[in-house]
Amino acid sequence: MQEWRVVNDVKYLVLDDEIIAAEYLAALICEADEKAEVVTTNNPVQSLELAKQQQFHVCFIDIQMPGLNGIEFANKLKQFYPKTNFIFVTGYSDHMGAAFRLDASDYIMKPANVKQIRHALDNLRYSSQENPGGKEEQKRVQITCFGNFEILIDGKPVKFKFDKTKELLAYIVHRKGARCTSKEVIATLWEEDGHDSYYRMLKKDLQDALNQLGCGKIIYSARGQIGLSNLECIQCDYFKWIENSVEGRKLYHGEYMAQYSWAEEVNALIEREKYQK
């Protein structure tokens, strides 16, 4: 393991099982960012433990490595620090889909050059001013809509009894805090009537899971209605985009709640607005 510089608050991790390749990439990073603090490693298992102990804002990761491949490494680290920028540098193009499902900032084919590194650093998914752990003060709840829909509380994925419960929450988020009727939710999630009892079961599962984690107040639930509440307690990329903030628009990389077909219309709208800017 080699540490190149200790100058500023932005910390880079370079992980490649070929140490020469890691050192070459670190040199490119230092050329692109003269104040870079870069740590190079060649053992993915040890690197994961290191990255859990100290927060890296940007991780440059090889994919094909023994013990733990780059996709697995990023997936595990993301559970601890959701706001880490992952840039994959690899000789294989067939992992690109998996990389971007992890909300990767970039995917660079070897051999990399300084122009590609500068472009990647200029287009990071998460700003260097954000906390690498993704935990803004008093915002325990982090919701990701760009890419696949995910919810984390205190940096850990929320587990529900039913997969459909997660989709129910996704639709509530999709409605941006507006109150949704039971009929509307059922028509969206099942596209047919006759699921009232199943819907009530999902509502209970959602509330129970959030209550157990001390975040039940983010859900408004009354007879025949459901919605989000206390939006100020939630950190969400889609909400940032709605605010039309510069950072919010940087977070979108071509997909919105990709696992749900009912979200396709909004994704198309975001795409149109993206190219009109």
Side-chain angles (χ1 to χ4, degrees):
M1 182 183 301
Q2 178 177 356
E3 188 164 318
W4 282 68
R5 303 188 184 189
V6 182
V7 180
N8 66 353
D9 293 331
V10 179
K11 299 181 69 174
Y12 297 87
L13 176 71
V14 176
L15 171 58
D16 194 311
D17 61 320
E18 297 182 4
I19 193 62
I20 294 177
E23 291 176 353
Y24 169 73
L25 187 54
L28 293 180
I29 295 168
C30 289
E31 185 177 347
D33 179 1
E34 294 182 354
K35 297 182 178 180
E37 174 188 341
V38 185
V39 175
T40 60
T41 67
N42 64 348
N43 184 310
V45 177
Q46 293 178 3
S47 299
L48 182 61
E49 294 307 311
L50 173 69
K52 289 178 184 177
Q53 295 168 17
Q54 55 179 296
Q55 299 174 349
F56 292 95
H57 180 248
V58 185
C59 293
F60 286 83
I61 312 169
D62 187 21
I63 291 183
Q64 297 288 8
M65 295 180 291
L68 192 70
N69 69 42
I71 299 295
E72 294 168 337
F73 174 90
N75 191 43
K76 290 179 181 293
L77 184 57
K78 191 178 177 71
Q79 296 178 26
F80 290 87
Y81 300 118
K83 296 298 182 182
T84 302
N85 288 288
F86 297 112
I87 298 171
F88 292 92
V89 184
T90 177
Y92 302 88
S93 62
D94 50 346
H95 298 285
M96 191 175 295
F100 284 110
R101 283 193 292 273
L102 281 167
D103 300 327
S105 290
D106 209 337
Y107 193 98
I108 299 173
M109 295 297 295
K110 291 182 176 180
N113 58 55
V114 70
K115 182 178 179 180
Q116 292 172 310
I117 300 301
R118 286 198 179 104
H119 179 269
L121 297 183
D122 286 342
N123 293 277
L124 293 175
R125 178 175 285 271
Y126 304 115
S127 165
S128 62
Q129 301 304 313
E130 293 186 75
N131 184 313
K135 299 179 184 178
E136 293 182 355
E137 186 176 0
Q138 297 182 346
K139 291 191 177 183
R140 299 177 56 210
V141 182
Q142 298 105 40
I143 292 176
T144 301
C145 298
F146 296 152
N148 282 331
F149 175 81
E150 300 292 344
I151 175 172
L152 298 96
I153 295 179
D154 297 331
K156 298 180 180 179
V158 179
K159 296 181 179 180
F160 302 106
K161 289 182 180 178
F162 311 102
D163 290 341
K164 204 75 173 175
T165 304
K166 185 176 177 180
E167 184 176 0
L168 169 60
L169 176 59
Y171 184 71
I172 296 170
V173 172
H174 172 76
R175 289 298 312 278
K176 301 167 292 203
R179 302 292 185 255
C180 309
T181 66
S182 303
K183 184 176 181 180
E184 173 190 348
V185 175
I186 291 171
T188 301
L189 268 60
W190 289 281
E191 300 181 354
E192 59 184 3
D193 296 329
H195 293 275
D196 299 68
S197 59
Y198 191 9
Y199 170 62
R200 288 194 295 270
M201 186 167 58
L202 297 184
K203 276 179 54 177
K204 183 178 186 305
D205 182 29
L206 175 61
Q207 197 71 67
D208 287 349
L210 295 177
N211 284 343
Q212 188 174 3
L213 294 167
C215 295
K217 290 184 179 180
I218 69 169
I219 299 296
Y220 167 87
S221 182
R223 187 176 181 84
Q225 287 191 327
I226 194 169
L228 279 185
S229 184
N230 294 323
L231 297 186
E232 66 277 4
C233 298
I234 299 170
Q235 180 177 318
C236 176
D237 51 5
Y238 179 44
F239 294 167
K240 285 186 178 181
W241 184 89
I242 292 172
E243 292 169 3
N244 200 29
S245 67
V246 174
E247 292 303 323
R249 294 193 175 276
K250 285 182 181 178
L251 300 177
Y252 176 72
H253 287 263
E255 290 185 321
Y256 168 78
M257 295 193 185
Q259 68 266 57
Y260 304 126
S261 60
W262 45 260
E264 292 174 356
E265 184 175 345
V266 166
N267 189 55
L269 173 64
I270 296 173
E271 279 286 336
R272 286 197 299 272
E273 292 200 12
K274 175 183 176 182
Y275 290 108
Q276 288 173 359
K277 296 296 179 181

